[in-house]
Amino acid sequence: MGNWLANDGLSFFVILVWLGINAFLFVHFYMQFLVERWFYSRAILGQALPWARAPAACLNFNCMLILLPVCRNLLSFLRGSIQVSDRSAARQLDRNLTFHKLVAYMIALHTAIHILAHLFNFERFMDAQLDKNDTLQYVLSQIGNGDNRSYLNPIRTKDTNPTYVMFTTIAGLTGVFMTLALILMITSSTEVIRRSYFEVFWFTHHLFVIFFIGLVLHGIGRIVRGQTPTSFQENNPAECEKYYREWGKNGTFCPVPNFAGNPPMTWKWVVGPMFLYLCERVVRFVRSQQKVVITKVVMHPSRTLELQMRMKGFKMEVGQYVFMQCPSISQLEWHPFTLTSAPEEDHFSVHIRIVGDWTEALYKACGGDKTEYTACSMQMAIDGPFGTASEDVFRYEVVMLVGAGIGVTPFASILKSVWYKYVQQNANVFTRKIYFYWLCPETEAFEWFADLLQSLEGQMVEKGLTDFLSCNIYLTRWKESEAAHFTVHHEAENDPITGLKQKTLYGKPNWTTEFNNIAAKHNGAKVGVFLCGPLGLAKTLGKQCRTHSVSGVKFIFNKENF
């Protein structure tokens, strides 16, 4: 339980508070529309009225939150400020996209409830207008027919229909556009679309502009109306409801009730986050205008492209990432890439795996199958760098780095920085041991990273620091014949695949054994576990961290999120 609290306790508390606020707002506004002032409105609409208004309040709250997790510069600032005093709180900011998704799901849920309730509302509005039995609902619907100053039923005549009202009122039109935008944003955000058709996800997600414009304008029409406070004093439903046929006539003490809609409130909820996000986009635009010089382009095996760049005033930390835009490919698309260079180097670099249309176009623009260029004149825009969980790596005495495929890129920066700190500067580093795990499906993927590992391993041997770095490289997809061939070379001094003294392993790691061994060797230590890889592996490592944290050792799980 203690380790669960250390790894996930604060996240659970934040989610619990968020759910609690949603529940409170729902119940509070549901009850608010059950008071006597809304009696006549409920006479027509029934319980569908509070069922429409309660989720509307929750929508305001969640729409206030939805933009904050994607304000990258704000999060980087907060992360740098918080991690000095509270590492656990800073780690929660690395789960910003998870929270963004949860808020989006909550918005979708309350939108569905809100729409369903209003469908019933408009149907009942129409039924009340068509009622010929001189009922209370019919009388309420006829109020304001002459001057149209104080009406309750937005469907003003029996010759219209709910569909016509939906497409001719501000509330109806904005509701339709907001719903369509939300459906497109959510469906295009699924894992399949986002991974295979990133451009579709990117463009449709910018429909949030239409969504927020509609959100601010949605309540201007004041479709849902209630009795005014003054009218409630003059026409109290408890006393006047049964005399509705005599309202306003001479000799009656019950005047015709007056109705008005609540003033729009949504803008008060979202104006702050919208302003922060606007500032965020301005900062991104200004930063993207700075000149970026591509000093070197390297084509690595497995169609991996390395770009080395320089930009005035660029400062980074290990494990950070940047967003890149190539105007000659697309004026609108920005893509995140982890920095693979060390802060000590005079340039910054990224390694890009060629897997989609944008990366394929970049690959061809940089020379395609050519081996190396010393420079490139292609224009590039950079936004960042932004902080990630890997920034905290040197705050742990013992570290486990787990990378899957191209997910090794954040750890390239870390290992390079280790090389500079120990070999060139001999600076004191709090970290005393690094366990590096790299899981790759094919042998070619090792080649672009092997040179760095060989250099680091050699320098550590020279400095007598062979126990500092433990490399564990796994070939997860292999054939029996290949494995047999490599077994012949197993007695060789260096591994035939990577050239390292540490032999390549086949299959997948036995994480239970690995965690047991590390726990036994480092009793009393806090072990930072850092992953850049798929969700399935994240669940496995997270469970292992919780299981193997005992009184003597604690495993703290950190995952990269983009």
Side-chain angles (χ1 to χ4, degrees):
M1 177 60 70
N3 184 63
W4 178 84
L5 290 173
N7 277 285
D8 302 305
L10 187 55
S11 293
F12 181 78
F13 175 74
V14 170
I15 297 301
L16 201 61
V17 170
W18 169 65
L19 290 173
I21 294 175
N22 274 282
F24 168 77
L25 288 172
F26 194 96
V27 173
H28 174 74
F29 278 87
Y30 188 95
M31 299 301 295
Q32 194 176 78
F33 284 86
L34 295 180
V35 299
E36 286 298 298
R37 182 189 162 218
W38 296 92
F39 177 86
Y40 291 134
S41 303
R42 293 197 309 276
I44 296 178
L45 303 177
Q47 292 300 310
L49 172 62
W51 275 101
R53 301 312 302 157
C58 295
L59 281 171
N60 288 339
F61 171 64
N62 287 283
C63 289
M64 177 187 72
L65 297 177
I66 191 71
L67 290 177
L68 297 179
V70 292
C71 290
R72 298 192 293 263
N73 289 285
L74 175 63
L75 294 180
S76 291
F77 171 77
L78 292 176
R79 198 181 196 287
S81 303
I82 294 174
Q83 70 179 356
V84 175
S85 57
D86 192 342
R87 185 190 306 165
S88 178
R91 283 209 321 274
Q92 309 313 309
L93 297 176
D94 298 323
R95 302 174 182 180
N96 59 317
L97 293 184
T98 300
F99 186 64
H100 177 74
K101 294 174 184 177
L102 288 175
V103 174
Y105 295 146
M106 187 65 79
I107 289 175
L109 173 63
H110 287 299
T111 297
I113 298 173
H114 185 71
I115 292 173
L116 188 62
H118 270 315
L119 289 177
F120 282 103
N121 286 339
F122 274 94
E123 192 64 33
R124 288 173 178 173
F125 275 138
M126 192 70 237
D127 290 343
Q129 192 66 254
L130 295 174
D131 199 336
K132 298 180 180 179
N133 295 323
D134 199 24
T135 60
L136 173 62
Q137 292 81 0
Y138 178 77
V139 171
L140 289 170
S141 297
Q142 302 309 305
I143 295 175
N145 272 356
D147 49 28
N148 209 34
R149 288 181 298 176
S150 176
Y151 63 88
L152 176 60
N153 192 334
I155 298 180
R156 305 306 303 132
T157 71
K158 61 181 180 180
D159 297 323
T160 185
N161 58 73
T163 305
Y164 176 81
V165 175
M166 184 183 301
F167 288 98
T168 55
T169 61
I170 294 176
L173 279 173
T174 55
V176 170
F177 283 117
M178 289 164 60
T179 303
L180 290 176
L182 186 63
I183 290 172
L184 289 173
M185 284 190 289
I186 291 177
T187 54
S188 66
S189 299
T190 57
E191 190 75 10
V192 174
I193 299 296
R194 194 161 52 87
R195 295 293 183 187
S196 303
Y197 305 98
F198 184 83
E199 294 81 3
V200 175
F201 159 76
W202 179 262
F203 289 122
T204 54
H205 232 59
H206 281 76
L207 291 172
F208 82 92
V209 176
I210 294 176
F211 181 85
F212 271 88
I213 292 174
L215 187 68
V216 172
L217 298 177
H218 188 61
I220 291 179
R222 307 189 184 190
I223 290 288
V224 177
R225 304 166 75 85
Q227 199 173 2
T228 63
T230 302
S231 175
F232 180 75
Q233 297 296 326
E234 299 172 347
N235 185 317
N236 191 321
E239 301 174 356
C240 297
E241 179 257 338
K242 56 187 175 182
Y243 302 111
Y244 68 90
R245 293 185 180 88
E246 309 299 325
W247 286 346
K249 295 181 180 180
N250 291 333
T252 182
F253 62 92
C254 295
V256 176
N258 290 320
F259 300 96
N262 288 334
M265 300 294 291
T266 300
W267 68 272
K268 295 181 180 180
W269 289 84
V270 301
V271 65
M274 288 173 68
F275 176 75
L276 286 175
Y277 189 77
L278 180 62
C279 293
E280 168 83 13
R281 297 307 291 252
V282 171
V283 170
R284 294 185 195 178
F285 175 77
V286 172
R287 185 183 289 154
S288 68
Q289 299 306 301
Q290 299 184 52
K291 184 178 180 181
V292 178
V293 179
I294 300 177
T295 58
K296 193 174 185 179
V297 178
V298 181
M299 305 296 177
H300 291 285
S302 295
R303 288 170 61 81
T304 299
L305 175 68
E306 178 185 357
L307 297 180
Q308 297 182 9
M309 296 164 283
R310 290 179 182 173
M311 187 172 73
K312 185 178 180 180
F314 188 90
K315 295 181 180 180
M316 61 164 288
E317 298 293 336
V318 294
Q320 291 186 325
Y321 68 98
V322 295
F323 274 79
M324 296 176 55
Q325 179 210 44
C326 184
S328 61
I329 299 175
S330 173
Q331 292 284 347
L332 299 175
E333 291 184 50
W334 290 82
H335 295 266
F337 295 101
T338 303
L339 292 168
T340 54
S341 53
E344 294 83 0
E345 293 180 294
D346 62 354
H347 66 274
F348 63 95
S349 65
V350 296
H351 284 70
I352 303 170
R353 187 176 57 164
I354 314 303
V355 292
D357 295 340
W358 191 90
T359 53
E360 184 68 39
L362 181 65
Y363 181 72
K364 292 178 180 178
C366 291
D369 56 355
K370 296 182 180 179
T371 306
E372 179 178 319
Y373 285 95
T374 56
C376 179
S377 58
M378 182 175 57
Q379 184 180 356
M380 189 71 69
I382 298 292
D383 182 29
F386 301 106
T388 66
S390 296
E391 284 186 60
D392 296 336
V393 67
F394 293 127
R395 294 174 178 268
Y396 293 94
E397 186 176 357
V398 181
V399 174
M400 290 177 65
L401 305 178
V402 183
I406 198 67
V408 76
T409 50
F411 309 136
S413 174
I414 293 170
L415 295 177
K416 283 182 181 179
S417 187
V418 167
W419 188 88
Y420 280 103
K421 283 178 168 58
Y422 271 97
V423 177
Q424 293 189 351
Q425 299 175 356
N426 292 318
N428 292 325
V429 179
F430 180 69
T431 303
R432 293 290 177 261
K433 178 69 176 181
I434 293 179
Y435 295 91
F436 174 61
Y437 297 84
W438 190 11
L439 286 62
C440 263
E442 66 273 340
T443 57
E444 291 83 1
F446 293 131
E447 297 178 20
W448 73 269
F449 199 51
D451 291 341
L452 171 62
L453 294 177
Q454 291 173 19
S455 175
L456 187 60
E457 185 181 62
Q459 294 293 344
M460 289 299 172
V461 171
E462 290 181 11
K463 295 290 182 178
L465 299 171
T466 53
D467 292 334
F468 177 76
L469 176 65
S470 173
C471 291
N472 302 275
I473 300 179
Y474 287 82
L475 190 62
T476 57
R477 296 177 188 171
W478 50 277
K479 297 178 181 179
E480 293 293 338
S481 58
E482 293 174 343
H485 171 72
F486 291 134
T487 302
V488 174
H489 297 83
H490 190 75
E491 299 301 325
E493 182 178 358
N494 294 331
D495 185 79
I497 298 176
T498 63
L500 299 173
K501 295 185 182 300
Q502 176 67 44
K503 305 302 181 182
T504 297
L505 304 171
Y506 302 98
K508 296 180 180 180
N510 185 327
W511 291 116
T512 300
T513 302
E514 297 296 329
F515 275 79
N516 283 334
N517 292 338
I518 293 173
K521 292 178 182 177
H522 303 283
N523 187 38
K526 274 192 174 183
V527 182
V529 181
F530 295 84
L531 167 69
C532 188
L535 181 60
L537 183 56
K539 291 180 179 179
T540 299
L541 293 181
K543 183 179 180 180
Q544 292 289 342
C545 286
R546 292 188 293 272
T547 303
H548 289 86
S549 287
V550 292
S551 58
V553 62
K554 292 185 181 298
F555 291 89
I556 309 299
F557 183 60
N558 303 267
K559 183 183 183 301
E560 298 290 329
N561 292 290
F562 296 103

